[in-house]
């Protein structure tokens, strides 16, 4: 496809992530938005925010038929992902889809298979993969030796509109599936090893969510190389903001930690921008001298390229554009998305059954 031809993209879902992706398409030269789709008023508000006159649709299939896009951006609730993505690819569209890829492993695999069948690009929204500081965090972890101990969480004390979004998400998924896929993906990159088993606990702290789901969860993963990791995620008005932002990896040679002094402050746990902030990385060296004292001082790496949430979305969409124009092979990242989702769903199973779940 010639780089002179703009990619017509249909934006489906105009909430937080959909709006950010739409803003990226609006600014990037290679894309042209051909329509905004949502069931409610969010598409109208987004159109006003962009200062644009994009075509607005309530119905996804009608929008597909009317606009005939080259690509579709899906940022709707996960229980719609499979049907929307496969329909788009059947119509010849490339697909950018927010994580998690789908609301079951079977559905996620069907989406990945459709991309292969129709020879369409499928990019899953793992936003941390585009963050230079998170890339550095992963690189530094690989100098620590093996096994690794990885400690991560993202708890969100939410109210008002944010709590409404969380409640809607929990109609189909738990917090450790929706958010955990990011950090499971990071752990897999850090170890370069296969997850072999997972255990998890969870608690339903409110009757505002469906029976059988939980709004606080914590998972523990064991890897083939002996590495271990945990991830914790809680959503809701009752969630504590004490130690809600932990991003830490420990190995035989020391430790590397993301310290977001500003983003990690009280009252910031439900801010989208705070979820990707790093601000600085602390590197601790374990080596001791002849007197048993640390032989090297801790290092602080201050990060100059610190994109905000919108800039990360723009970088992500720039990569999607490249994948389409340059025919990049996305099968590897798609398999990574399937692998991290598989671990997340195994964690859900462990919460429900109380059992250790082997990763297939």
């Amino acid at each position: 496809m010639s780089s002179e031809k703009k990619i017509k993209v249909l934006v489906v879902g105009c909430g937080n992530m959909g709006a950010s992706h739409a803003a990226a398409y609006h600014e990037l030269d290679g894309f042209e938005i051909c329509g905004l789709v949502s069931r409610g008023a969010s598409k109208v508000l987004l159109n006003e925010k962009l200062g644009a006159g994009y075509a607005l649709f309530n119905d996804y299939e009608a929008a597909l038929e009317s606009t005939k896009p080259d690509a579709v951006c899906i940022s709707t609730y996960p229980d719609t992902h499979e049907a929307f993505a496969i329909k788009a690819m059947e119509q010849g569209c490339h697909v950018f889809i927010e994580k998690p890829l789908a609301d079951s492993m079977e559905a996620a695999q069907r989406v990945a298979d459709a991309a292969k069948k129709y020879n369409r690009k499928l990019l899953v929204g793992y936003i941390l993969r585009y963050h230079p500081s998170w890339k550095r965090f992963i690189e530094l972890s690989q100098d620590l030796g093996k096994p690794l101990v990885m400690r991560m969480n993202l708890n969100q004390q939410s109210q008002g509109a944010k709590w409404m979004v969380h409640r809607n998400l929990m109609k189909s998924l738990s917090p450790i599936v929706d958010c955990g896929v990011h950090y499971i993906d990071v752990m897999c990159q850090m170890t370069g090893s296969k997850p072999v088993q997972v255990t998890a606990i969870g608690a339903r702290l409110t009757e505002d969510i469906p029976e059988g789901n939980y709004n606080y969860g914590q998972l523990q993963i064991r890897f083939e190389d002996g590495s271990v990791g945990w991830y914790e995620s809680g959503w809701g008005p009752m969630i504590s903001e004490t130690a809600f932002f932990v991003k830490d990896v420990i190995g035989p040679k020391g430790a590397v930690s993301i310290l977001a002094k500003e983003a990690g402050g009280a009252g910031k746990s439900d801010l989208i921008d705070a979820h990707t902030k790093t601000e600085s990385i602390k590197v601790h060296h374990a080596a001791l001298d002849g007197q048993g004292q640390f032989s090297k001082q801790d290092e602080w790496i201050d990060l100059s390229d610190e994109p905000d949430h919108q800039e990360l979305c723009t970088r992500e969409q720039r990569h999607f554009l490249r994948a389409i124009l340059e025919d990049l092979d996305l099968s590897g990242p798609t398999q990574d998305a399937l692998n991290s989702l598989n671990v997340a769903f195994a964690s859900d199973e462990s919460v429900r059954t109380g059992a250790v779940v082997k990763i297939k």
Side-chain angles (χ1 to χ4, degrees):
M1 189 178 289
S2 166
S3 60
E4 293 174 8
K5 180 182 182 291
K6 290 197 174 190
I7 304 297
K8 287 172 58 182
V9 60
L10 180 67
V11 176
V12 189
C14 300
N16 280 333
M17 295 308 300
S20 294
H21 295 312
Y25 297 133
H26 184 71
E27 295 298 329
L28 288 170
D29 285 342
F31 285 110
E32 179 184 346
I33 295 175
C34 60
L36 304 176
V37 186
S38 77
R39 289 179 298 185
S42 58
K43 59 185 174 292
V44 178
L45 297 174
L46 177 56
N47 224 4
E48 289 173 359
K49 182 181 174 185
L50 296 175
Y54 295 126
L56 303 181
F57 300 89
N58 295 316
D59 182 76
Y60 171 58
E61 292 196 15
L64 260 186
E65 182 61 33
S66 174
T67 62
K68 296 187 168 42
D70 303 305
V72 174
C73 170
I74 300 170
S75 302
T76 50
Y77 287 112
D79 55 358
T80 64
H81 282 190
E82 177 192 6
F84 284 8
I86 291 175
K87 185 73 176 175
M89 289 186 277
E90 286 173 347
Q91 300 289 320
C93 302
H94 303 290
V95 171
F96 175 88
I97 192 164
E98 260 308 322
K99 60 79 201 161
L101 179 50
D103 62 351
S104 73
M105 276 313 296
E106 295 77 16
Q109 188 62 58
R110 286 191 290 268
V111 175
D113 290 345
K116 192 171 180 182
K117 177 182 177 181
Y118 296 106
N119 192 27
R120 298 293 87 189
K121 300 304 174 190
L122 172 66
L123 186 63
V124 188
Y126 279 60
I127 198 168
L128 297 181
R129 287 187 164 218
Y130 304 89
H131 198 308
S133 306
W134 278 84
K135 289 181 189 176
R136 187 77 187 278
F137 184 43
I138 291 165
E139 286 167 10
L140 289 165
S141 74
Q142 291 160 355
D143 296 330
L144 298 176
K146 290 288 185 73
L148 294 175
V149 175
M150 296 159 290
R151 311 187 304 156
M152 299 186 194
N153 74 2
L154 181 58
N155 292 311
Q156 297 179 56
Q157 184 185 93
S158 56
Q159 60 177 319
K162 293 280 177 66
W163 176 226
M164 188 179 297
V165 168
H166 284 153
R167 286 170 63 181
N168 284 334
L169 282 167
M170 286 185 284
K171 290 175 183 174
S172 57
L173 291 177
S174 68
I176 61 173
V177 172
D178 182 77
C179 278
V181 289
H182 279 307
Y183 302 99
I184 294 165
D185 183 50
V186 167
M187 291 182 199
C188 290
Q189 290 179 75
M190 284 180 163
T191 62
S193 181
K194 181 182 183 296
V196 292
Q197 72 174 50
V198 66
T199 54
I201 54 173
R204 181 174 180 253
L205 298 172
T206 173
E207 293 185 2
D208 288 345
I209 64 172
E211 280 190 49
N213 204 353
Y214 53 96
N215 65 310
Y216 171 85
Q218 194 234 38
L219 61 87
Q220 298 179 336
I221 313 176
R222 292 180 184 272
F223 290 83
E224 211 164 45
D225 67 356
S227 296
V228 295
W230 61 255
Y231 173 72
E232 172 192 61
S233 183
W235 294 343
M238 73 294 293
I239 297 299
S240 169
E241 285 196 323
T242 300
F244 71 83
F245 189 99
V246 176
K247 309 289 185 288
D248 209 20
V249 55
I250 305 163
K253 298 178 183 177
V256 179
S257 314
I258 287 179
L259 294 175
K261 303 182 192 75
E262 178 64 26
K268 304 284 182 68
S269 66
D270 72 340
L271 294 180
I272 296 294
D273 244 353
H275 299 172
T276 54
K277 283 281 187 190
T278 49
E279 296 171 26
S280 56
I281 292 177
K282 183 180 181 182
V283 181
H284 167 67
H285 302 278
L288 303 176
D289 61 20
Q291 286 71 49
Q293 304 296 314
F294 290 122
S295 59
K296 193 172 181 182
Q297 288 191 332
D298 291 349
E299 295 173 62
W300 288 90
I301 300 173
D302 288 319
L303 303 155
S304 54
D305 184 10
E306 181 64 14
D308 62 14
H309 186 263
Q310 182 55 58
E311 172 60 18
L312 281 174
C313 289
T314 300
R315 293 183 188 195
E316 197 168 29
Q317 295 308 332
R318 198 175 285 127
H319 184 67
F320 185 40
L321 183 64
R322 275 193 63 219
I324 296 169
L325 297 179
E326 299 175 25
D327 193 24
L328 301 183
D329 181 4
L330 298 180
S331 58
T334 298
Q335 189 57 52
D336 290 343
L338 290 169
N339 292 344
S340 57
L341 188 58
N342 189 36
V343 175
F345 281 127
S347 305
D348 251 0
E349 182 184 339
S350 180
V351 172
R352 288 194 303 270
T353 63
V356 173
V357 179
K358 303 290 186 186
I359 307 296
K360 297 172 186 174

